[in-house]
Amino acid sequence: MRVLLVNMPWSPIDVPSLALGILKRSAVENRPATSAEVYHANLEYTDWITERTEFGKGDYEYYALSSYFLGCGDWVFSSALYDDPEWRTEEFTAALRGKLSASRMRMSHELHRLAPEFVERTAREIVAREPDVVGFCSTFQQNTAALAAAKYVKRLAPHITTVLGGANCDAEQGHAAHRNFPFVDYVVRGEGEAAFPRLLAALDDSGSPRAIPGLCWRDAEGTSVANPMATSPLPPAAITSPDYSGYFERLAASAARHWVEPKLVVEGARGCWWGEKHHCTFCGLNGTFMEFRSKAPERFYDEIMELARKHRVLDMYVVDNILDMGYVRTVLPRIVDSGYDLRLHIEIKANMRRSQLQTLADAGMIYVQPGIESLNSRVLDLMDKGVSGCQNVRMLRDGAETGLAVSWNYLHGFPHERDEDYTPVIEQLPALEHLMPPVDLSARIAIERFSPYFNRPELGYEKLRPDVHYRFTYDLPESELYDLAYVFEAPERGIGEETAGRLNDGIKAWHEAYPASRLTHTDLGDRIVLVSRRRKFDWRVRELTAPVELAAFRLLDQPHHPAALARKVAGQLASEGAEGPPQEGAADEPAIRELLERWLEWGVVFTDAGQYVQLAPAAVNEDLLRLEFMRSTAAATEPAAAQDPGERPALPVP
């Protein structure tokens, strides 16, 4: 049996598809008589479209990632799905007027008009390879492109079996796709390592589709049947390692080789150990399986090393939703000792200790995504994040000190949040301008399928509708769109536009000031030297020499309430037996509060929910981080300040 796995636009071009790499290996290993290869249609599209339009790297990134919540990428290929180069152009234009720049609107229309021609070409290329089964991956904004390609393949070669799978096919979404698009023979819902080989066996007359959990298929009358979803996730030992052969060779021959540095995608775990106990209210990641499970440390380490050696690539995305904390003691030290100069990107939790962050940095973690979405504890409680505002600020500080670039988003619009939750943060933003700013302006939350906000109306959202971009993309009744959609319209909750505007003005100023801003400290034992270069503070050097100041500043490495801080400072001074007792009352709570107020005026501490934390990283490598920030900003084709209105922060790599 010949299997062709197709990676349509808008899959990112700087990484191979993890999903298709896994399916390729699982198909071959479980079905020895099967051959499988990946057709990189996303790279084919890059070469094809750059010959016809003024299309560049920034354009691909926009349609692949940045415009996800506007649906631009999916709308582009809706013209091919419905065989109409002018498919709903008026509706698209009306819905996104004021949200897209004039140039982006023109580009979207041009790509939309050309999409049927590319999909026709792709289908002919697929059919020419004479596969028995064609599998299409659908994740993020691949859905219409994948569906359109399946339609054209069926039109040219009805005997070829078409299969759809991926994140857009979980649970109700997959069944909706199957019953509404009859040119898709099967939809694999959920984890595919086991289901896809079993489907191949069924097609080879050695099994029944009825017995495959999650599979959507058609009975003898042509009615769509959705098998019950699997009741438990795959155990970690069953999570297949990817086979990326062919991707790097195809990239090397593509116009995209001049745009990107290729990266590997590695996977150590699935699910979220935090979400198992406290599902963040806005998060729709993990779909039907939140249960956290991770590969054995030895196996994960071996996979990383094998991929690096085979492909001679040191940049890697670790796509785990959250780091297995055991890897800090097992996998990461081995990476440090391996001699490989890896550059890793990973998601972590914001309450990791500095020593743990240092281990990440030593192992080559250069970008971390710690799930920071607010700097206010009350709003974070509404999210069920399990961290405080001061802990998030401490993460930004310690990331700067350990050499980690911290990728984070500011979100707003949570039910029951208040303007007064944001005002103190906005007022303190100038004190933070030496720390890594959020990747973009603050965005109002979207309601995602599988999130508590979607599943539990009592949290604040009732009568959800599929987002408007589904309505100008698909020709389906709203009841079907509801099952197909991942993002939903909802009444605006939380703060109004005036407060959101003040927050974004502060974040925009932060972006502008960050490359030239500085606040560091050097602890010399008998004194602490603070050096500042920030636009809102007129001092450059301050020295802390009083025993109370030294003790308080060192303790504020971690967030403290004034009462606890005063108690600990007094205890330390007493235990140290410093020459001459401290001045009477110098370490009592009123004195500590007075000291904290002075430090607030200096912009040396951040306060939230009654806690305080100091803001000055140790003077080690902040300037190196700043150089990296300026390099990446200069390389961007559309800096944050010039992005289209309504553009959302980029999503993680799927």
Side-chain angles (χ1 to χ4, degrees):
M1 180 178 290
R2 294 169 59 89
V3 175
L4 185 64
L5 302 168
V6 182
N7 195 28
M8 291 295 288
W10 299 96
S11 180
I13 55 179
D14 61 337
V15 293
S17 168
L18 173 66
L20 296 186
I22 287 174
L23 290 185
K24 178 181 178 181
R25 172 159 284 172
S26 63
V28 172
E29 290 184 350
N30 288 279
R31 305 285 300 167
T34 296
S35 67
E37 64 174 316
V38 176
Y39 181 65
H40 304 284
N42 57 336
L43 294 174
E44 296 287 339
Y45 181 76
T46 300
D47 295 343
W48 185 85
I49 199 66
T50 52
E51 293 176 353
R52 290 161 175 78
T53 67
E54 296 296 322
F55 187 91
K57 173 188 175 184
D59 297 308
Y60 196 98
E61 291 178 347
Y62 180 80
Y63 292 103
L65 297 174
S66 300
S67 69
Y68 176 73
F69 291 99
L70 297 176
C72 295
D74 265 331
W75 180 76
V76 162
F77 281 94
S78 66
S79 58
L81 180 59
Y82 292 106
D83 295 307
D84 181 359
E86 298 301 320
W87 177 256
R88 295 190 174 171
T89 55
E90 292 183 5
E91 292 93 330
F92 173 84
T93 303
L96 297 188
R97 184 176 289 116
K99 297 181 179 180
L100 298 185
S101 64
S103 61
R104 184 65 70 201
M105 184 70 79
R106 286 193 299 271
M107 174 68 77
S108 299
H109 280 244
E110 185 174 17
L111 299 180
H112 183 259
R113 178 177 56 80
L114 293 172
E117 183 181 347
F118 172 75
V119 174
E120 174 75 21
R121 173 187 180 275
T122 299
R124 292 190 180 281
E125 290 284 339
I126 290 170
V127 172
R129 295 175 184 239
E130 300 183 340
D132 300 297
V133 177
V134 179
F136 295 93
C137 179
S138 179
T139 299
F140 292 153
Q141 295 197 84
Q142 281 184 295
N143 211 46
T144 53
L147 289 169
K151 179 177 181 177
Y152 281 49
V153 166
K154 271 294 184 186
R155 182 181 294 165
L156 293 171
H159 65 280
I160 294 178
T161 299
T162 54
V163 185
L164 188 70
N168 291 331
C169 298
D170 204 358
E172 299 89 351
Q173 293 176 278
H175 193 197
H178 188 255
R179 65 176 177 261
N180 285 290
F181 300 103
F183 43 81
V184 177
D185 294 319
Y186 299 93
V187 172
V188 175
R189 302 185 297 165
E191 298 168 300
E193 289 98 324
F196 188 62
R198 290 181 65 181
L199 173 60
L200 298 180
L203 295 173
D204 210 19
D205 295 327
S206 56
S208 169
R210 190 180 297 276
I212 303 173
L215 185 70
C216 296
W217 53 285
R218 289 185 174 82
D219 62 19
E221 287 74 39
T223 302
S224 175
V225 178
N227 293 343
M229 297 289 291
T231 56
S232 60
L234 288 175
I239 299 176
T240 306
S241 306
D243 178 355
Y244 292 143
S245 56
Y247 163 77
F248 293 96
E249 295 81 357
R250 180 62 188 87
L251 177 63
S254 170
R257 72 186 184 278
H258 301 300
W259 296 354
V260 298
E261 289 292 331
K263 302 173 185 66
L264 288 161
V265 182
V266 296
E267 180 184 36
R270 292 181 185 172
C272 179
W273 50 260
W274 175 256
E276 282 188 88
K277 298 178 180 179
H278 299 275
H279 191 170
C280 299
T281 53
F282 63 92
C283 178
L285 297 178
N286 298 296
T288 51
F289 284 130
M290 181 67 73
E291 182 179 330
F292 184 76
R293 62 266 195 223
S294 59
K295 296 175 181 175
E298 299 79 10
R299 181 186 166 199
F300 186 39
Y301 172 80
D302 289 343
E303 285 184 16
I304 291 173
M305 292 298 115
E306 179 186 356
L307 287 168
R309 285 191 292 265
K310 179 177 181 179
H311 299 292
R312 305 179 70 83
V313 172
L314 298 176
D315 281 297
M316 296 186 181
Y317 281 111
V318 184
V319 296
D320 306 358
N321 288 156
I322 193 167
L323 174 68
D324 181 341
M325 295 303 295
Y327 288 166
V328 177
R329 303 185 306 274
T330 56
V331 177
L332 299 186
R334 291 190 67 188
I335 292 176
V336 173
D337 295 337
S338 70
Y340 280 69
D341 184 21
L342 298 180
R343 296 179 292 275
L344 304 175
H345 311 232
I346 196 167
E347 294 192 35
I348 62 174
K349 195 152 172 38
N351 59 2
M352 289 184 70
R353 299 188 299 274
R354 185 190 287 108
S355 61
Q356 294 171 323
L357 297 177
Q358 189 61 59
T359 300
L360 264 62
D362 292 342
M365 301 286 181
I366 56 173
Y367 289 98
V368 295
Q369 188 170 340
I372 297 174
E373 281 96 13
S374 178
L375 302 181
N376 176 266
S377 293
R378 184 175 177 278
V379 177
L380 289 164
D381 286 344
L382 295 174
M383 302 181 200
D384 209 1
K385 290 295 294 186
V387 293
S388 69
C390 283
Q391 283 179 308
N392 281 344
V393 169
R394 181 199 60 80
M395 173 69 224
L396 297 177
R397 185 202 67 201
D398 289 352
E401 184 171 318
T402 53
L404 297 171
V406 181
S407 177
W408 64 289
N409 301 313
Y410 214 115
L411 301 179
H412 67 269
F414 296 90
H416 311 300
E417 69 181 10
R418 307 168 305 203
D419 292 337
E420 52 264 38
D421 297 324
Y422 286 81
T423 298
V425 173
I426 295 169
E427 291 173 348
Q428 294 181 87
L429 291 183
L432 305 178
E433 289 177 351
H434 61 293
L435 302 176
M436 192 74 75
V439 296
D440 207 334
L441 301 182
S442 179
R444 189 171 292 278
I445 61 167
I447 307 304
E448 301 176 353
R449 183 181 296 278
F450 308 117
S451 70
Y453 280 146
F454 178 81
N455 291 321
R456 298 171 55 193
E458 70 272 15
L459 293 179
Y461 294 101
E462 298 177 349
K463 299 179 181 178
L464 298 172
R465 293 189 68 193
D467 196 81
V468 64
H469 70 261
Y470 297 101
R471 302 199 292 276
F472 62 62
T473 298
Y474 297 98
D475 186 20
L476 295 173
E478 185 153 324
S479 60
E480 292 298 320
L481 287 178
Y482 188 89
D483 284 350
L484 186 73
Y486 181 75
V487 181
F488 293 82
E489 280 185 353
E492 291 189 356
R493 303 290 190 231
I495 61 173
E497 293 309 311
E498 190 275 333
T499 299
R502 289 193 294 117
L503 175 62
N504 279 327
D505 287 344
I507 292 174
K508 183 178 180 182
W510 188 350
H511 270 268
E512 294 169 351
Y514 172 70
S517 298
R518 175 183 174 89
L519 174 65
T520 58
H521 84 272
T522 302
D523 194 331
L524 301 175
D526 63 337
R527 67 189 190 279
I528 293 173
V529 180
L530 295 161
V531 177
S532 174
R533 186 174 64 236
R534 293 167 296 167
R535 61 189 180 90
K536 291 289 187 178
F537 301 93
D538 58 6
W539 62 273
R540 291 294 174 262
V541 179
R542 301 275 194 191
E543 288 195 7
L544 309 180
T545 57
V548 170
E549 293 179 324
L550 297 174
F553 187 87
R554 290 165 183 154
L555 285 166
L556 287 175
D557 183 69
Q558 299 296 323
H560 279 79
H561 287 91
L565 182 63
R567 186 169 59 253
K568 291 182 181 180
V569 168
Q572 281 195 11
L573 295 180
S575 65
E576 289 170 1
E579 290 186 12
Q583 186 176 358
E584 183 177 353
D588 62 16
E589 185 176 341
I592 290 296
R593 287 187 178 275
E594 183 179 340
L595 177 64
L596 292 172
E597 285 301 314
R598 184 163 71 250
W599 286 354
L600 273 176
E601 293 176 4
W602 295 0
V604 170
V605 295
F606 176 87
T607 184
D608 173 69
Q611 290 187 315
Y612 294 77
V613 66
Q614 66 91 354
L615 295 174
V620 282
N621 58 7
E622 259 204 314
D623 287 334
L624 294 177
L625 277 178
R626 193 156 284 99
L627 288 171
E628 166 62 21
F629 177 86
M630 289 188 288
R631 182 197 66 78
S632 61
T633 300
T637 56
E638 292 188 60
Q643 288 174 340
D644 290 320
E647 184 169 321
R648 296 293 296 268
L651 297 166
V653 173

